[in-house]
Amino acid sequence: MTAQPAEPATGARTAASSDASDAVSDAASATAPASVAAVAALLGEAMTKSGLLWIDVAGDRAWPAWHVWDDGAAYVVSGPGEQPLPWLPEEVRVILRSKDTGGRLLTLRAHTHVLEPGSAEWDKAAELLRASRLNAIDDSLTRWAGGCTLTALVPFDSPIEAPGAYAAADARSAPARTAATTTSWRPWHWRGRGEEKAARKRAKAAERAARTAARERAKLRAKRQRRGGRLSGG
């Protein structure tokens, strides 16, 4: 995946921060009877307790993504060696899960802003992501700056879904397409694999049963022949 070009101007991040601070300002009247403070607290808790969110792209699907949450924005990194994400339009839907149940907790609209390598916000987001990145074995910052995309997702407006106001649909989606397939070659195993051993065992058992049946039939024919000989001799 190639890095997306930087789009926002210098003042865009400041405006985005104010959007984030107002992201749930009208939630109480629009979605549920909970207070604005309660919904804002729920947003912060959902973002910080779970490192996974879903980015719902219009006309595509919901993409899972690990993220870090800081100062009203969720930061994600994508590209070579990182999680796959498509090109993100200026606005997406962000779905947050409950850490306890794994189900939908909040669905919000969010602005997307691609961060420019070398900018103060890119440096801040990269440090936060690197601290949260598991199993990194190289210089993540250099690799991210060279070929990956760091994106800020800034929630705004009232939540689309929140406790007490969920859509009736189950929101299930088909699994993503993949080029993965069943392997056609398997390493050689001494005396074969488990299923091969079981097949040989069944074949041997069937062969023993067939030999036993043949011996029994031969004994029965011999017995009949002896009985017939005695009758003819008498």
Coordinates of all heavy atoms in Angstrom, one line a residue, residues 88-181:
L88 N -8.7 6.4 2.5 CA -9.8 6.8 3.4 C -10.3 8.2 2.9 O -9.5 9.1 2.8 CB -9.3 7.0 4.9 CG -8.8 5.7 5.5 CD1 -8.3 5.9 6.9 CD2 -9.9 4.6 5.5
P89 N -11.6 8.3 2.7 CA -12.1 9.6 2.3 C -12.0 10.6 3.5 O -11.6 10.3 4.6 CB -13.6 9.3 1.9 CG -13.9 8.0 2.7 CD -12.6 7.3 2.8
E90 N -12.5 11.8 3.2 CA -12.4 12.9 4.2 C -13.3 12.6 5.4 O -13.0 13.1 6.5 CB -12.8 14.2 3.6 CG -11.8 14.7 2.6 CD -12.2 16.1 2.1 OE1 -13.3 16.6 2.5 OE2 -11.4 16.7 1.3
E91 N -14.3 11.8 5.2 CA -15.2 11.4 6.3 C -15.5 9.9 6.3 O -15.8 9.4 5.3 CB -16.5 12.2 6.2 CG -17.5 11.9 7.4 CD -18.8 12.7 7.2 OE1 -18.7 13.9 6.8 OE2 -19.9 12.2 7.5
V92 N -15.4 9.3 7.5 CA -15.7 7.9 7.6 C -16.6 7.7 8.9 O -16.8 8.7 9.7 CB -14.4 7.1 7.8 CG1 -13.6 7.1 6.5 CG2 -13.6 7.5 9.0
R93 N -17.0 6.5 9.1 CA -17.7 6.2 10.3 C -16.8 5.3 11.2 O -16.1 4.4 10.6 CB -19.0 5.4 10.1 CG -20.1 6.2 9.5 CD -21.4 5.4 9.5 NE -22.5 6.2 9.0 CZ -23.8 5.8 9.0 NH1 -24.1 4.6 9.5 NH2 -24.8 6.6 8.6
V94 N -16.7 5.6 12.4 CA -15.8 4.8 13.3 C -16.7 4.1 14.3 O -17.6 4.6 14.9 CB -14.9 5.8 14.1 CG1 -14.1 5.0 15.2 CG2 -13.9 6.5 13.2
I95 N -16.5 2.8 14.4 CA -17.3 1.9 15.2 C -16.4 1.4 16.4 O -15.3 0.9 16.2 CB -17.8 0.7 14.5 CG1 -18.7 1.1 13.2 CG2 -18.7 -0.2 15.4 CD1 -19.0 0.0 12.3
L96 N -16.9 1.7 17.6 CA -16.2 1.3 18.8 C -16.9 0.1 19.5 O -18.1 0.1 19.5 CB -16.0 2.5 19.7 CG -15.4 3.7 19.1 CD1 -15.4 4.9 20.2 CD2 -14.0 3.5 18.7
R97 N -16.1 -0.8 20.0 CA -16.7 -1.9 20.7 C -16.6 -1.8 22.2 O -15.8 -1.0 22.7 CB -15.9 -3.2 20.3 CG -14.4 -3.2 20.8 CD -13.8 -4.5 20.5 NE -12.4 -4.6 21.0 CZ -11.6 -5.6 21.0 NH1 -12.1 -6.8 20.6 NH2 -10.4 -5.6 21.5
S98 N -17.4 -2.6 22.8 CA -17.3 -2.7 24.3 C -16.2 -3.7 24.6 O -16.2 -4.8 24.1 CB -18.7 -3.2 24.8 OG -18.5 -3.6 26.2
K99 N -15.3 -3.3 25.5 CA -14.2 -4.2 25.9 C -14.8 -5.4 26.7 O -14.2 -6.5 26.6 CB -13.3 -3.4 26.8 CG -12.0 -4.2 27.2 CD -11.2 -4.5 26.1 CE -9.8 -5.2 26.5 NZ -9.0 -5.5 25.4
D100 N -15.9 -5.3 27.3 CA -16.5 -6.3 28.1 C -17.2 -7.4 27.3 O -17.1 -8.6 27.5 CB -17.5 -5.8 29.2 CG -16.7 -4.9 30.2 OD1 -15.5 -5.1 30.5 OD2 -17.3 -3.9 30.7
T101 N -18.1 -6.9 26.3 CA -18.9 -7.8 25.6 C -18.4 -8.0 24.1 O -18.8 -9.0 23.5 CB -20.4 -7.3 25.5 OG1 -20.4 -6.0 24.7 CG2 -20.9 -7.0 26.9
G102 N -17.6 -7.1 23.6 CA -17.1 -7.2 22.3 C -18.1 -6.7 21.3 O -17.9 -6.7 20.1
G103 N -19.3 -6.3 21.7 CA -20.4 -5.7 20.8 C -20.2 -4.3 20.5 O -19.4 -3.6 21.1
R104 N -21.0 -3.8 19.6 CA -21.0 -2.3 19.3 C -21.3 -1.5 20.5 O -22.2 -1.8 21.3 CB -22.0 -2.0 18.2 CG -21.6 -2.3 16.8 CD -22.7 -2.0 15.8 NE -23.9 -2.8 16.0 CZ -25.1 -2.6 15.5 NH1 -25.3 -1.6 14.7 NH2 -26.1 -3.4 15.7
L105 N -20.6 -0.4 20.7 CA -20.8 0.5 21.8 C -21.2 1.9 21.3 O -22.1 2.5 21.7 CB -19.6 0.6 22.7 CG -19.7 1.4 24.0 CD1 -20.8 0.8 24.9 CD2 -18.4 1.5 24.7
L106 N -20.3 2.4 20.4 CA -20.6 3.7 19.8 C -20.3 3.7 18.3 O -19.3 3.0 17.9 CB -19.7 4.8 20.4 CG -20.0 5.2 21.9 CD1 -18.9 6.1 22.4 CD2 -21.3 6.0 21.9
T107 N -21.0 4.4 17.5 CA -20.7 4.6 16.1 C -20.7 6.1 15.9 O -21.7 6.8 16.2 CB -21.8 3.9 15.2 OG1 -21.8 2.5 15.5 CG2 -21.4 4.2 13.7
L108 N -19.6 6.6 15.4 CA -19.5 8.1 15.2 C -19.0 8.4 13.8 O -18.3 7.6 13.2 CB -18.5 8.7 16.3 CG -18.7 8.3 17.7 CD1 -17.7 7.3 18.1 CD2 -18.6 9.5 18.6
R109 N -19.3 9.6 13.4 CA -18.7 10.2 12.2 C -17.3 10.8 12.6 O -17.2 11.3 13.7 CB -19.6 11.2 11.6 CG -20.9 10.7 11.1 CD -21.9 11.8 10.9 NE -21.5 12.6 9.8 CZ -22.0 13.8 9.6 NH1 -23.0 14.3 10.4 NH2 -21.6 14.6 8.5
A110 N -16.4 10.7 11.7 CA -15.1 11.2 12.0 C -14.4 11.8 10.7 O -14.6 11.2 9.6 CB -14.2 10.1 12.5
H111 N -13.7 12.9 10.9 CA -12.9 13.4 9.8 C -11.6 12.7 9.8 O -11.0 12.3 10.8 CB -12.6 14.9 10.0 CG -13.8 15.8 9.9 ND1 -14.6 15.8 8.7 CD2 -14.4 16.7 10.7 CE1 -15.6 16.7 8.9 NE2 -15.5 17.2 10.1
T112 N -11.0 12.5 8.6 CA -9.7 11.8 8.5 C -8.7 12.9 8.0 O -9.0 13.7 7.1 CB -9.7 10.7 7.4 OG1 -10.0 11.2 6.1 CG2 -10.8 9.7 7.8
H113 N -7.5 12.9 8.6 CA -6.4 13.8 8.2 C -5.1 13.0 8.1 O -4.7 12.4 9.1 CB -6.3 14.9 9.3 CG -7.5 15.7 9.5 ND1 -8.1 16.5 8.5 CD2 -8.4 15.7 10.5 CE1 -9.2 17.1 9.0 NE2 -9.4 16.6 10.2
V114 N -4.6 12.9 6.9 CA -3.3 12.3 6.7 C -2.2 13.2 7.3 O -2.1 14.4 6.9 CB -3.0 12.0 5.2 CG1 -1.6 11.3 5.0 CG2 -4.1 11.0 4.7
L115 N -1.3 12.7 8.1 CA -0.3 13.5 8.7 C 1.0 13.5 7.8 O 1.4 12.5 7.3 CB 0.1 12.9 10.1 CG -1.1 12.7 11.0 CD1 -0.7 12.1 12.4 CD2 -2.0 13.9 11.2
E116 N 1.6 14.6 7.8 CA 2.8 14.8 6.9 C 4.0 14.4 7.7 O 4.3 15.0 8.8 CB 2.9 16.3 6.5 CG 4.1 16.6 5.7 CD 4.1 16.0 4.3 OE1 3.0 15.6 3.8 OE2 5.2 15.8 3.7
P117 N 4.9 13.5 7.2 CA 6.1 13.2 7.9 C 7.0 14.4 8.2 O 7.1 15.2 7.3 CB 6.8 12.2 7.0 CG 5.7 11.6 6.2 CD 4.7 12.7 6.0
G118 N 7.5 14.5 9.4 CA 8.3 15.6 9.8 C 7.5 16.7 10.5 O 8.2 17.6 11.1
S119 N 6.2 16.7 10.4 CA 5.4 17.7 11.1 C 5.4 17.3 12.6 O 5.6 16.2 13.0 CB 4.0 17.8 10.5 OG 3.3 16.5 10.8
A120 N 5.0 18.3 13.4 CA 5.0 18.1 14.9 C 3.9 17.0 15.2 O 4.1 16.2 16.1 CB 4.7 19.4 15.6
E121 N 2.8 17.1 14.5 CA 1.7 16.1 14.8 C 2.1 14.7 14.4 O 1.8 13.7 15.1 CB 0.4 16.5 14.1 CG -0.7 15.6 14.6 CD -2.1 16.0 14.0 OE1 -2.1 16.9 13.1 OE2 -3.1 15.4 14.4
W122 N 2.8 14.6 13.2 CA 3.3 13.3 12.8 C 4.3 12.7 13.8 O 4.2 11.5 14.2 CB 4.0 13.4 11.4 CG 4.3 12.1 10.8 CD1 3.5 11.4 9.9 CD2 5.4 11.2 11.0 NE1 4.1 10.2 9.5 CE2 5.3 10.1 10.2 CE3 6.5 11.3 11.9 CZ2 6.2 9.0 10.2 CZ3 7.5 10.3 11.9 CH2 7.3 9.2 11.0
D123 N 5.2 13.5 14.3 CA 6.2 13.1 15.3 C 5.4 12.6 16.6 O 5.8 11.5 17.1 CB 7.1 14.2 15.6 CG 8.0 14.5 14.5 OD1 8.2 13.7 13.5 OD2 8.6 15.6 14.5
K124 N 4.4 13.4 17.0 CA 3.7 13.0 18.2 C 3.0 11.7 18.0 O 3.0 10.8 18.8 CB 2.7 14.1 18.6 CG 1.8 13.8 19.7 CD 0.8 14.9 19.8 CE -0.3 14.5 20.9 NZ -1.3 15.6 21.0
A125 N 2.2 11.6 16.9 CA 1.5 10.4 16.6 C 2.4 9.2 16.4 O 2.1 8.1 16.9 CB 0.6 10.6 15.4
A126 N 3.5 9.3 15.8 CA 4.4 8.2 15.5 C 5.0 7.7 16.9 O 5.1 6.5 17.1 CB 5.5 8.7 14.6
E127 N 5.3 8.6 17.8 CA 5.8 8.2 19.1 C 4.8 7.4 19.8 O 5.1 6.4 20.5 CB 6.3 9.4 19.9 CG 7.6 10.0 19.3 CD 8.8 9.0 19.5 OE1 8.7 8.1 20.3 OE2 9.8 9.3 18.8
L128 N 3.5 7.9 19.8 CA 2.5 7.2 20.5 C 2.2 5.8 19.9 O 2.0 4.8 20.6 CB 1.2 8.0 20.4 CG 1.2 9.3 21.2 CD1 -0.1 10.2 20.9 CD2 1.2 9.0 22.7
L129 N 2.2 5.7 18.6 CA 2.0 4.5 17.9 C 3.1 3.5 18.1 O 2.9 2.3 18.3 CB 1.8 4.7 16.4 CG 0.4 5.3 16.0 CD1 0.5 5.9 14.6 CD2 -0.7 4.3 16.1
R130 N 4.4 4.0 18.1 CA 5.5 3.1 18.3 C 5.5 2.6 19.7 O 5.8 1.4 20.0 CB 6.8 3.9 18.1 CG 8.1 3.0 18.3 CD 9.3 3.7 17.9 NE 9.7 4.8 18.8 CZ 10.8 5.5 18.8 NH1 11.7 5.1 17.9 NH2 11.0 6.4 19.6
A131 N 5.1 3.4 20.7 CA 5.0 2.8 22.1 C 3.9 1.8 22.2 O 4.0 0.9 23.0 CB 4.6 4.0 23.0
S132 N 2.9 1.8 21.4 CA 1.8 0.9 21.4 C 2.0 -0.3 20.5 O 1.3 -1.3 20.6 CB 0.5 1.5 21.1 OG -0.6 0.6 21.1
R133 N 3.0 -0.2 19.5 CA 3.2 -1.2 18.5 C 3.9 -2.4 19.2 O 4.9 -2.3 19.9 CB 4.2 -0.6 17.4 CG 4.6 -1.6 16.4 CD 3.4 -2.0 15.5 NE 3.9 -2.5 14.2 CZ 4.1 -3.8 14.0 NH1 4.0 -4.7 15.0 NH2 4.5 -4.2 12.8
L134 N 3.3 -3.6 18.9 CA 3.9 -4.8 19.5 C 4.8 -5.5 18.5 O 4.6 -5.5 17.3 CB 2.7 -5.8 19.9 CG 1.7 -5.3 20.9 CD1 0.6 -6.3 21.1 CD2 2.4 -4.9 22.2
N135 N 5.8 -6.1 19.0 CA 6.7 -7.0 18.2 C 7.4 -6.2 17.1 O 7.7 -6.8 16.0 CB 5.9 -8.2 17.6 CG 5.2 -9.0 18.6 OD1 5.7 -9.2 19.7 ND2 4.0 -9.5 18.3
A136 N 7.7 -5.0 17.3 CA 8.5 -4.2 16.3 C 9.9 -4.7 16.3 O 10.5 -4.8 17.4 CB 8.4 -2.7 16.5
I137 N 10.5 -4.9 15.2 CA 11.9 -5.5 15.1 C 12.8 -4.5 14.3 O 13.9 -4.9 14.0 CB 11.9 -6.9 14.5 CG1 11.3 -6.8 13.1 CG2 11.2 -7.9 15.4 CD1 11.4 -8.2 12.3
D138 N 12.3 -3.4 13.9 CA 13.1 -2.5 13.2 C 12.9 -1.0 13.6 O 12.2 -0.8 14.6 CB 12.9 -2.6 11.6 CG 11.4 -2.3 11.3 OD1 10.6 -2.0 12.2 OD2 11.0 -2.4 10.1
D139 N 13.4 -0.1 12.9 CA 13.2 1.3 13.2 C 11.9 1.7 12.6 O 11.8 2.1 11.4 CB 14.4 2.2 12.6 CG 14.2 3.6 13.0 OD1 13.2 4.0 13.6 OD2 15.1 4.4 12.6
S140 N 10.8 1.6 13.4 CA 9.5 1.9 12.9 C 9.3 3.3 12.3 O 8.7 3.5 11.3 CB 8.5 1.6 14.0 OG 8.5 0.3 14.5
L141 N 9.9 4.3 13.0 CA 9.7 5.7 12.6 C 10.3 5.9 11.2 O 9.6 6.5 10.3 CB 10.4 6.6 13.6 CG 9.8 6.6 15.0 CD1 10.5 7.7 15.9 CD2 8.3 6.7 15.0
T142 N 11.5 5.3 10.9 CA 12.0 5.5 9.6 C 11.2 4.8 8.5 O 11.0 5.4 7.4 CB 13.5 5.0 9.6 OG1 14.3 5.6 10.5 CG2 14.1 5.1 8.2
R143 N 10.8 3.6 8.8 CA 9.9 2.9 7.9 C 8.6 3.6 7.6 O 8.1 3.7 6.5 CB 9.7 1.5 8.4 CG 8.9 0.6 7.4 CD 9.0 -0.9 7.8 NE 8.8 -1.1 9.2 CZ 7.6 -1.3 9.7 NH1 6.5 -1.3 8.9 NH2 7.4 -1.6 11.0
W144 N 8.0 4.1 8.7 CA 6.7 4.8 8.5 C 6.9 6.0 7.7 O 6.0 6.3 6.9 CB 6.1 5.1 9.9 CG 5.7 3.9 10.7 CD1 5.5 2.6 10.2 CD2 5.3 3.8 12.1 NE1 5.1 1.8 11.2 CE2 5.0 2.5 12.4 CE3 5.3 4.7 13.1 CZ2 4.6 2.1 13.6 CZ3 4.9 4.3 14.4 CH2 4.6 3.0 14.6
A145 N 7.9 6.8 8.0 CA 8.1 8.0 7.2 C 8.4 7.7 5.8 O 8.0 8.5 4.9 CB 9.3 8.8 7.8
G146 N 9.0 6.6 5.4 CA 9.4 6.3 4.1 C 8.3 5.7 3.2 O 8.2 5.9 2.0
G147 N 7.4 4.9 3.8 CA 6.4 4.2 3.0 C 5.0 3.9 3.6 O 4.2 3.2 3.0
C148 N 4.8 4.4 4.8 CA 3.5 4.2 5.5 C 2.7 5.4 5.6 O 3.2 6.5 5.4 CB 3.7 3.5 6.8 SG 4.4 1.8 6.7
T149 N 1.5 5.3 6.0 CA 0.6 6.4 6.2 C 0.1 6.5 7.6 O -0.4 5.5 8.2 CB -0.7 6.3 5.3 OG1 -0.2 6.2 3.9 CG2 -1.6 7.5 5.4
L150 N 0.2 7.6 8.3 CA -0.3 7.9 9.6 C -1.5 8.8 9.4 O -1.4 9.9 8.8 CB 0.7 8.6 10.5 CG 1.6 7.6 11.3 CD1 2.5 6.8 10.4 CD2 2.5 8.4 12.3
T151 N -2.6 8.4 9.9 CA -3.9 9.1 9.7 C -4.5 9.4 11.1 O -4.5 8.5 12.0 CB -4.9 8.3 8.9 OG1 -4.3 7.9 7.7 CG2 -6.1 9.1 8.6
A152 N -5.0 10.6 11.2 CA -5.8 11.0 12.4 C -7.3 10.9 12.1 O -7.7 11.4 11.1 CB -5.4 12.4 12.8
L153 N -8.0 10.2 13.0 CA -9.5 10.1 12.9 C -10.0 11.0 14.0 O -9.8 10.7 15.2 CB -9.9 8.7 13.0 CG -9.3 7.7 12.1 CD1 -9.7 6.3 12.5 CD2 -9.7 8.0 10.6
V154 N -10.7 12.1 13.7 CA -11.3 13.0 14.6 C -12.8 12.9 14.7 O -13.4 13.4 13.7 CB -10.8 14.4 14.3 CG1 -11.3 15.4 15.4 CG2 -9.3 14.5 14.2
P155 N -13.4 12.4 15.7 CA -14.8 12.3 15.8 C -15.5 13.7 15.8 O -14.9 14.6 16.4 CB -15.1 11.5 17.1 CG -13.8 10.8 17.4 CD -12.7 11.7 16.8
F156 N -16.7 13.8 15.3 CA -17.4 15.1 15.3 C -18.9 14.7 15.3 O -19.3 13.6 15.0 CB -17.0 16.0 14.1 CG -17.5 15.5 12.8 CD1 -18.7 16.0 12.3 CD2 -16.8 14.5 12.1 CE1 -19.2 15.5 11.1 CE2 -17.3 14.1 10.8 CZ -18.5 14.6 10.3
D157 N -19.7 15.7 15.7 CA -21.1 15.6 15.7 C -21.6 14.6 16.7 O -20.8 14.0 17.5 CB -21.6 15.3 14.3 CG -23.0 15.8 14.0 OD1 -23.6 16.3 15.0 OD2 -23.5 15.7 12.9
S158 N -22.9 14.4 16.7 CA -23.5 13.5 17.7 C -23.2 12.0 17.3 O -23.1 11.7 16.1 CB -25.0 13.7 17.8 OG -25.3 15.0 18.1
P159 N -23.1 11.1 18.2 CA -22.9 9.7 17.9 C -24.1 9.2 17.1 O -25.3 9.5 17.3 CB -22.9 9.0 19.2 CG -22.4 10.1 20.2 CD -23.0 11.3 19.7
I160 N -23.8 8.4 16.1 CA -24.9 7.8 15.3 C -25.6 6.6 16.1 O -26.8 6.4 16.0 CB -24.3 7.2 14.0 CG1 -23.7 8.4 13.1 CG2 -25.4 6.5 13.1 CD1 -23.0 7.9 11.9
E161 N -24.8 5.9 16.8 CA -25.3 4.9 17.7 C -24.6 5.0 19.1 O -23.4 5.3 19.2 CB -25.0 3.5 17.1 CG -25.7 3.1 15.9 CD -25.4 1.7 15.4 OE1 -24.2 1.4 15.2 OE2 -26.4 0.9 15.3
A162 N -25.4 4.8 20.1 CA -24.9 4.9 21.5 C -25.9 4.1 22.3 O -26.9 3.7 21.9 CB -24.9 6.4 21.9
P163 N -25.5 3.8 23.6 CA -26.4 3.0 24.4 C -27.8 3.7 24.5 O -28.0 4.9 24.7 CB -25.7 3.1 25.8 CG -24.3 3.2 25.5 CD -24.2 4.1 24.2
G164 N -28.8 2.8 24.2 CA -30.2 3.3 24.1 C -30.6 3.7 22.7 O -31.8 4.0 22.5
A165 N -29.7 3.7 21.8 CA -30.1 4.2 20.4 C -29.2 3.4 19.4 O -28.3 4.0 18.8 CB -29.9 5.7 20.3
Y166 N -29.5 2.1 19.3 CA -28.8 1.3 18.3 C -29.7 1.0 17.1 O -30.9 0.8 17.3 CB -28.3 0.0 18.9 CG -27.2 0.1 20.0 CD1 -27.5 -0.1 21.3 CD2 -26.0 0.6 19.6 CE1 -26.5 0.0 22.2 CE2 -25.0 0.7 20.5 CZ -25.2 0.5 21.9 OH -24.2 0.6 22.8
A167 N -29.1 0.8 15.9 CA -29.8 0.4 14.8 C -30.4 -1.0 14.9 O -29.8 -1.8 15.6 CB -28.9 0.5 13.5
A168 N -31.5 -1.3 14.3 CA -32.1 -2.6 14.4 C -31.3 -3.7 13.7 O -31.4 -4.8 14.1 CB -33.5 -2.5 13.9
A169 N -30.6 -3.3 12.6 CA -29.8 -4.3 11.9 C -28.7 -4.8 12.7 O -28.2 -4.2 13.6 CB -29.3 -3.7 10.6
D170 N -28.3 -6.1 12.4 CA -27.2 -6.7 13.2 C -25.8 -6.3 12.7 O -24.8 -6.6 13.3 CB -27.3 -8.2 13.1 CG -27.3 -8.8 11.7 OD1 -26.9 -8.1 10.8 OD2 -27.8 -9.9 11.5
A171 N -25.7 -5.6 11.5 CA -24.5 -5.0 11.0 C -23.5 -6.1 10.7 O -22.3 -5.8 10.6 CB -23.9 -4.0 12.0
R172 N -23.9 -7.3 10.4 CA -23.0 -8.4 10.0 C -22.5 -8.1 8.6 O -23.3 -7.6 7.8 CB -23.6 -9.8 10.1 CG -23.8 -10.3 11.5 CD -24.4 -11.7 11.5 NE -25.7 -11.7 10.9 CZ -26.4 -12.8 10.7 NH1 -25.9 -14.0 11.1 NH2 -27.6 -12.8 10.2
S173 N -21.3 -8.5 8.2 CA -20.8 -8.3 6.9 C -20.1 -9.6 6.5 O -19.6 -10.3 7.3 CB -19.9 -7.1 6.8 OG -18.8 -7.2 7.7
A174 N -19.9 -9.8 5.2 CA -19.2 -10.9 4.7 C -17.7 -10.8 4.9 O -17.2 -9.7 5.0 CB -19.5 -11.1 3.2
P175 N -17.1 -11.9 5.1 CA -15.6 -11.9 5.4 C -14.9 -11.2 4.2 O -15.4 -11.3 3.0 CB -15.2 -13.4 5.5 CG -16.5 -14.1 5.9 CD -17.6 -13.3 5.2
A176 N -13.8 -10.6 4.5 CA -13.0 -9.9 3.4 C -12.4 -11.0 2.5 O -12.1 -12.1 2.9 CB -12.0 -9.1 4.0
R177 N -12.3 -10.6 1.2 CA -11.7 -11.5 0.3 C -10.2 -11.7 0.6 O -9.6 -10.7 1.0 CB -11.8 -11.0 -1.2 CG -13.2 -11.0 -1.6 CD -13.3 -10.6 -3.1 NE -14.5 -9.9 -3.4 CZ -14.7 -9.3 -4.6 NH1 -13.8 -9.4 -5.5 NH2 -15.8 -8.7 -4.8
T178 N -9.7 -12.8 0.3 CA -8.3 -13.1 0.6 C -7.7 -14.0 -0.5 O -8.4 -14.8 -1.0 CB -8.0 -13.7 2.0 OG1 -6.7 -14.0 2.2 CG2 -8.9 -14.9 2.2
A179 N -6.4 -13.9 -0.7 CA -5.7 -14.8 -1.7 C -5.2 -16.0 -1.0 O -4.7 -16.9 -1.7 CB -4.6 -14.0 -2.3
A180 N -5.4 -16.1 0.3 CA -5.0 -17.3 1.0 C -5.7 -18.5 0.5 O -6.9 -18.5 0.2 CB -5.2 -17.1 2.5
T181 N -5.0 -19.7 0.5 CA -5.7 -20.9 0.1 C -5.0 -22.1 0.8 O -4.0 -21.9 1.5 CB -5.5 -21.1 -1.4 OG1 -6.1 -22.3 -1.8 CG2 -4.0 -21.3 -1.8

